[in-house]
Amino acid sequence: MEYFLTEEQEMIKELARQVAEEKILPVRAELDEKEEFPNEIMKIIAQSDFFGLFIPEEYGGLGKGSLELAIAVEELSRACLGVSTTFAANALGTFPILLFGTDDQKKKYLPDIATGKRLVAFALTEANAGSDAAGVQTTAKLDGNEYVLNGTKQWITNGGEAEIYTVIAKTEKGKGARGTSAFIVEKGTPGFSFGKKENKMGIRASVTRELIFENCRIPRENLISKQGRGFIIAMKTLDSSRTGVGAQGVGVAQGAFEAATSYAKGRYQFGQPVISFQAIQHLLADMATQIEAARSLVYSVSRFIDSGAKDVTKESAMAKVFATDVAMKVTVDAVQVMGGAGYMKEYPVEKMMRDAKILQIFEGTNQIQRNVIGQALIKETVKKK
Ligand SMILES: Cc1cc2nc3c(=O)[nH]c(=O)nc-3n(C[C@H](O)[C@H](O)[C@H](O)COP(=O)(O)OP(=O)(O)OC[C@H]3O[C@@H](n4cnc5c(N)ncnc54)[C@H](O)[C@@H]3O)c2cc1C
């Protein structure tokens, strides 16, 4: 289908596909098997200027928007969701600085992020604060000109590998969401260490790790925006990043669809290629239709964000929930189309099916996305009365 991309967007797509096919595809199974962080690939992604895509030109980036980021994420995800998660989590961690940081913070951090010199992570989740993100227990107390952080963050993508961390912590007890604030913490700060590395079902090329803060002192100027704005910063960050998760869904679904179609053309049973059976054609037809629908929604919402729209919460939740449900369904069906071969590690779809599951869980589960959409619908109905 024609998505009316500009010449520049087509070039980004082509370059991302080239990187994915030449550099990621040949090593994706090994990275998955060994649970290895894709250091070399990150260097290539940096050389291709992808880290700078969504960073304004004045801070050393290319000054592009959500759509360009989604296009790059989609193409990387078509080859490997573990690699694309590492790349996308970097954007997630950068959004608090980009959207709410002071000019000094932007000048200090964004140029190195744009060149890929320093990787970023976003740290919200804790053992007792998953979907209930306002329940974070990590504390940040002002002491003179420093904040002192104590607590443990759980399941943080890029944990240990990133150099810069945007961290949500509690600054005032008893105030719930309004008692949280956002901070920038650099790797190497005394009192900041890394704990357990997770052994995961999928996206095994990405690293997921605990962050431990023990009397970790950071300068007061590392507070992002104002004290008490942590929850809003986290929610606005997720509004901006969820189209990226949707793009991951479109990419992995596309990869699985292509692998299944090609296999079905070459696999003969009962004297004919299995793609000639209507049962298989219908599966593939539904997969192709769902992928186009998901891509259309992800691109439209990305364009909506890039238009400068103020409130994108409902739409970005819709893009995330729809495209990631499609990713799960399509990858499961791709295994079905390929029969026993689909279940074997010799083919990529078993990895894609394992990888796709995380998209329905992180950056807010798909149940939570439906809650978000539902709340927005209630608000809209009240406004219209
Ligand atoms: C591989 C991986 C990488 C991650 N990376 C990061 C990261 O980089 N940074 C970060 O901060 N976090 C990260 N996370 C955390 C992730 O965002 C959370 O796992 C997610 O938000 C869900 O929280 P939870 O796992 O605690 O589930 P829970 O909140 O315990 O939910 C359990 C179940 O209950 C449902 N549920 C909970 N509350 C409701 C409700 N109100 N209504 C309906 N259903 C509900 C959920 O949908 C889910 O099905 C990562 C997680 C994983 C697994």
Side-chain angles (χ1 to χ4, degrees):
M1 195 153 107
E2 177 56 65
Y3 287 96
F4 302 104
L5 300 181
T6 62
E7 211 174 299
E8 206 173 23
Q9 288 161 351
E10 288 289 359
M11 275 166 59
I12 292 168
K13 194 176 175 70
E14 256 172 54
L15 182 60
R17 183 165 288 214
Q18 193 186 341
V19 168
E21 289 190 346
E22 289 176 12
K23 307 294 178 187
I24 303 176
L25 224 126
V27 295
R28 66 182 171 190
E30 193 185 344
L31 293 175
D32 173 62
E33 188 75 30
K34 294 186 178 163
E35 207 165 26
E36 195 175 302
F37 186 79
N39 268 316
E40 288 311 308
I41 295 170
M42 286 304 124
K43 282 182 200 155
I44 294 159
I45 288 177
Q47 284 159 12
S48 311
D49 277 343
F50 289 143
F51 282 112
L53 271 179
F54 64 104
I55 309 272
E57 283 171 303
E58 57 183 310
Y59 302 110
L62 297 177
K64 305 293 160 206
S66 291
L67 182 56
E68 287 80 4
L69 187 59
I71 289 167
V73 167
E74 176 189 339
E75 287 304 327
L76 300 178
S77 305
R78 181 173 158 267
C80 178
L81 216 50
V83 169
S84 81
T85 294
T86 305
F87 175 68
N90 176 81
L92 171 70
T94 305
F95 281 128
I97 304 174
L98 192 61
L99 299 175
F100 295 94
T102 60
D103 192 41
D104 281 348
Q105 288 170 341
K106 290 180 185 174
K107 274 187 190 141
K108 182 170 177 189
Y109 294 106
L110 295 183
D112 280 354
I113 296 172
T115 56
K117 190 173 166 200
R118 299 174 93 190
L119 195 68
V120 196
F122 177 68
L124 173 62
T125 304
E126 299 177 5
N128 293 316
S131 299
D132 185 9
V136 293
Q137 288 166 0
T138 294
T139 55
K141 284 196 180 128
L142 190 61
D143 179 24
N145 266 335
E146 292 174 325
Y147 277 97
V148 186
L149 270 65
N150 277 290
T152 302
K153 293 288 175 185
Q154 171 180 272
W155 301 342
I156 305 307
T157 304
N158 293 343
E161 299 292 339
E163 298 285 332
I164 301 163
Y165 295 78
T166 44
V167 178
I168 308 297
K170 193 170 265 314
T171 36
E172 263 186 280
K173 264 192 188 164
K175 275 202 157 181
R178 271 179 285 164
T180 62
S181 305
F183 300 93
I184 303 167
V185 185
E186 295 187 33
K187 187 178 179 176
T189 307
F192 176 27
S193 60
F194 304 105
K196 189 178 168 215
K197 229 185 211 181
E198 301 298 335
N199 183 3
K200 305 190 292 293
M201 171 199 285
I203 57 162
R204 289 166 61 83
S206 81
V207 65
T208 314
R209 201 160 176 192
E210 238 174 22
L211 313 184
I212 302 166
F213 302 100
E214 292 165 307
N215 292 322
C216 170
R217 303 184 84 88
I218 57 167
R220 189 179 186 162
E221 58 263 27
N222 284 20
L223 171 72
I224 302 176
S225 182
K226 291 190 187 121
Q227 211 174 281
R229 300 255 293 156
F231 190 71
I232 290 173
I233 293 173
M235 293 306 112
K236 292 282 175 198
T237 288
L238 292 166
D239 282 353
S240 294
S241 68
R242 279 179 180 141
T243 44
V245 184
Q248 285 192 286
V250 175
V252 71
Q254 181 69 37
F257 168 76
E258 287 172 22
T261 309
S262 145
Y263 181 86
K265 283 180 183 166
R267 169 71 176 168
Y268 278 70
Q269 288 293 280
F270 302 96
Q272 46 190 312
V274 296
I275 202 167
S276 68
F277 301 124
Q278 196 181 50
I280 296 295
Q281 284 173 29
H282 282 186
L283 270 176
L284 292 170
D286 282 347
M287 288 156 76
T289 307
Q290 287 156 5
I291 293 168
E292 291 299 359
R295 184 178 289 116
S296 302
L297 186 58
V298 168
Y299 284 14
S300 297
V301 175
S302 299
R303 284 182 168 128
F304 182 51
I305 294 173
D306 292 339
S307 76
K310 264 199 179 146
D311 185 0
V312 298
T313 303
K314 182 185 74 180
E315 290 75 11
S316 66
M318 284 174 164
K320 194 261 183 187
V321 80
F322 187 78
T324 61
D325 282 353
V326 163
M328 197 66 247
K329 184 162 190 329
V330 167
T331 53
V332 168
D333 287 348
V335 172
Q336 194 64 25
V337 165
M338 294 175 65
Y343 202 72
M344 301 302 162
K345 284 191 184 289
E346 196 181 331
Y347 294 94
V349 292
E350 69 80 31
K351 171 184 174 317
M352 289 167 167
M353 188 180 100
R354 283 187 286 110
D355 285 351
K357 186 63 208 169
I358 191 58
L359 302 177
Q360 295 178 306
I361 297 172
F362 64 17
E363 298 202 25
T365 66
N366 282 8
Q367 285 78 25
I368 294 296
Q369 302 309 304
R370 288 181 167 92
N371 290 355
V372 167
I373 297 164
Q375 288 303 318
L377 294 176
I378 293 170
K379 256 203 237 165
E380 280 174 12
T381 320
V382 171
K383 261 191 224 160
K384 275 182 195 155
K385 268 187 180 172

